[in-house]
Amino acid sequence: MLHHVSDEISSYMKEFQRILKPNGTIIVMEPCLCKKKPLCNRFMKWYNGEYIRNEEEYIRLFRDHNYDCKVIKRFRKCFLYHELFFSVKPKSL
């Protein structure tokens, strides 16, 4: 659902931390833009919305809100659709 939310996402990040159990992990699977795939990116933005991010942007989004991130897998569906599968945990205080 993150690809439907603008960069004004701080309230979501706070809510994730509020509802997550101690030592809990969030598993994220999002469509992902690829720098070397402009045709795929155009299709994905048309098909999924304007807030699809590339891998670095997703990771930075969480790190900027005090989360540790770990990419689990990058993969492609069909020919034009790329996804990123990663986990995030709030950093210990």
Side-chain angles (χ1 to χ4, degrees), residues 4 19 41 49 52 72:
H4 294 290
I19 64 173
N41 294 345
I52 298 174
I72 299 168

Side-chain angles (χ1 to χ4, degrees), residues 2-74:
L2 296 175
H3 60 277
H4 294 290
V5 180
S6 73
D7 291 335
E8 297 299 321
I9 200 165
S10 293
S11 61
Y12 287 82
M13 296 297 174
K14 290 175 186 174
E15 184 66 5
F16 294 157
Q17 283 191 353
R18 186 186 75 77
I19 64 173
L20 196 61
K21 291 183 178 182
N23 297 316
T25 300
I26 301 169
I27 302 296
V28 182
M29 186 181 309
E30 284 290 322
C32 185
L33 301 177
C34 296
K35 291 180 183 178
K36 296 181 180 181
K37 303 287 184 180
L39 179 61
C40 296
N41 294 345
R42 200 171 318 143
F43 169 77
M44 289 174 52
K45 284 184 177 185
W46 169 78
Y47 184 72
N48 274 348
E50 62 185 291
Y51 299 114
I52 298 174
R53 297 162 176 91
N54 63 37
E55 179 177 331
E56 294 83 18
E57 291 169 324
Y58 281 118
I59 300 302
R60 184 177 49 245
L61 180 67
F62 281 94
R63 286 192 177 147
D64 287 352
H65 289 90
N66 211 30
Y67 287 87
D68 286 322
C69 304
K70 180 181 176 189
V71 173
I72 299 168
K73 187 171 183 175
R74 300 165 189 90

Side-chain angles (χ1 to χ4, degrees), residues 6 59 68 78 86-88:
S6 73
I59 300 302
D68 286 322
C78 300
F86 62 104
S87 65
V88 295

